[in-house]
Amino acid sequence: MAFEGLTERLQNAMKTLRGKGKVSQSDLRATMREIRLALLEADVNFQVVRNFVKTVEERANGAKVLEGLNPSQQIVKIVDEELTKTMGEEAVPLNKSEKIPTIIMMSGLQGAGKTTTAGKLALKLKNEQNARPLLIADDIYRPAAIDQLETVGQQIDVPVFQLGTDVDPVEIAKRGLEKAKEDHNDYVIIDTAGRLQIDEKLMGELSNIKDAVHPDEILLVIDAMTGQNAVATAEGFNKTLDVTGVVLTKLDGDTRGGAALSIRAVTQKPIKFVGQGEKMSDLDVFYPDRMASRILG
Ligand code: GDP
């Protein structure tokens, strides 16, 4: 289960304070040391950990929490609030264009869950907004990717635009967009190619697609199971593409939690959705406060 180790360690760290009528400076310091280790072990970015611990400690001291009533409960509350803040405070909705169609571009490494998430998002828009999305198959390097998107499209009854694997991806994106305008689709979701690692060619191509269609939303799909690499990947994509949001996938797996807690703080870009399973319905809006509660257990 996701966050299992982190939850247990955070609970243990704060357990020593529980029931104490008075918490001393050294109690607080010991607890913060445990929290710091728990976060580092969960693969949270070290700078994020450092800021987090510093803020919690300052707040605990500043508000004279240690001398007040129920100091341990108050510290738990501070930790909860700061976890929420680290993950972005509030849910951030999908950008929407004033004129249809709203253009959403999916980006990310191969295997992160782009194609699956493109389908999940199309279904969500269809179910929740009665939208008529068009999926554009723009990953021409992995022939199976087009078939995969076609299958997804059939499954959720959403049309898929494709021109096979011999047309330039920028051209496919443009022609897909034209088709969407003709058919009055209100959303297009462009499924782009990924690679196993960030490379210049991939980034150049994504940049060209971005320049050609001016997406309203560039979603970066990140596999939560990849720990510290998730943050490095996010930074790499964000540097070139200036993404507008992140989707964190595979949160149903036994991820340690580092990506969820680091990405917003490191990239300053909001996590907008989380993928929590392989089914088309397994996509949820990301609520930082609910995630904090889940992490604290
Ligand atoms: P792409 O290469 O980025 O397009 O990745 P795919 O969409 O093909 O996904 C790669 C694998 O991850 C597939 O087996 C998906 O079913 C799986 N996957 C995607 N999102 C999730 C998720 O949220 N949870 C789980 N458990 N699996 C996922």
Side-chain angles (χ1 to χ4, degrees):
M1 217 177 70
F3 310 127
E4 206 166 23
L6 179 58
T7 300
E8 195 184 327
R9 288 203 58 171
L10 287 176
Q11 283 177 348
N12 280 340
M14 291 184 285
K15 206 186 280 170
T16 45
L17 298 179
R18 202 174 300 154
K20 283 198 175 164
K22 207 168 158 344
V23 173
S24 67
Q25 277 292 342
S26 74
D27 290 335
L28 177 66
R29 232 172 289 131
T31 300
M32 291 319 297
R33 204 161 36 234
E34 284 302 309
I35 290 178
R36 182 172 159 273
L37 288 174
L39 293 170
L40 287 173
E41 201 160 283
D43 252 349
V44 181
N45 173 277
F46 80 96
Q47 194 67 48
V48 176
V49 175
R50 192 191 289 170
N51 290 341
F52 181 86
V53 168
K54 190 165 160 263
T55 311
V56 172
E57 233 173 339
E58 277 172 8
R59 279 189 64 186
N61 282 321
K64 303 229 180 298
V65 163
L66 307 188
E67 295 148 33
L69 276 175
N70 271 325
S72 73
Q73 260 180 28
Q74 290 198 53
I75 290 169
V76 172
K77 186 161 169 275
I78 293 174
V79 169
D80 189 357
E81 286 170 4
E82 291 302 325
L83 283 176
T84 304
K85 216 181 272 173
T86 305
M87 290 186 287
E89 205 99 62
E90 278 177 11
V92 181
L94 210 53
N95 293 339
K96 200 167 176 181
S97 160
E98 284 178 8
K99 252 182 24 208
I100 66 162
T102 291
I103 303 168
I104 302 171
M105 175 174 165
M106 312 298 294
S107 64
L109 293 180
Q110 192 172 310
K114 274 183 307 301
T115 307
T116 310
T117 306
K120 287 176 175 179
L121 190 56
L123 181 65
K124 199 174 191 54
L125 291 167
K126 204 177 131 176
N127 286 346
E128 292 175 10
Q129 300 184 20
N130 234 341
R132 295 178 53 248
L134 174 70
L135 289 161
I136 300 179
D138 215 4
D139 179 0
I140 61 166
Y141 305 107
R142 207 166 50 94
I146 298 181
D147 296 341
Q148 190 188 341
L149 195 67
E150 289 276 13
T151 307
V152 162
Q154 277 163 20
Q155 216 179 317
I156 59 175
D157 196 19
V158 165
V160 174
F161 179 87
Q162 62 134 317
L163 293 173
T165 55
D166 296 330
V167 180
D168 181 71
V170 171
E171 190 60 27
I172 297 175
K174 281 202 225 161
R175 299 222 338 235
L177 185 55
E178 276 165 26
K179 173 89 171 101
K181 285 179 182 163
E182 271 167 40
D183 294 349
H184 304 288
N185 293 104
D186 42 13
Y187 285 91
V188 296
I189 302 174
I190 307 172
D191 185 27
T192 64
R195 300 248 205 295
L196 292 174
Q197 277 180 327
I198 293 180
D199 64 47
E200 263 176 48
K201 188 164 178 283
L202 168 70
M203 286 306 176
E205 181 177 302
L206 295 175
S207 246
N208 291 341
I209 297 172
K210 176 184 174 181
D211 293 344
V213 300
H214 305 292
D216 302 289
E217 183 82 68
I218 302 179
L219 288 178
L220 174 59
V221 180
I222 295 276
D223 180 341
M225 307 280 284
T226 55
Q228 294 276 359
N229 283 338
V231 176
T233 306
E235 279 189 292
F237 273 86
N238 192 37
K239 212 166 76 193
T240 312
L241 285 179
D242 191 18
V243 305
T244 54
V246 175
V247 182
L248 208 51
T249 62
K250 309 186 195 182
L251 229 63
D252 50 311
D254 59 356
T255 166
R256 284 184 283 176
L261 277 164
S262 310
I263 280 183
R264 168 69 192 232
V266 173
T267 63
Q268 300 296 315
K269 296 299 165 74
I271 300 174
K272 294 197 171 180
F273 298 98
V274 287
Q276 318 219 59
E278 294 193 81
K279 289 200 305 292
M280 280 296 117
S281 53
D282 294 331
L283 185 73
D284 299 299
V285 171
F286 180 74
Y287 292 99
D289 55 344
R290 293 184 201 170
M291 194 56 73
S293 305
R294 181 167 155 193
I295 289 172
L296 284 175

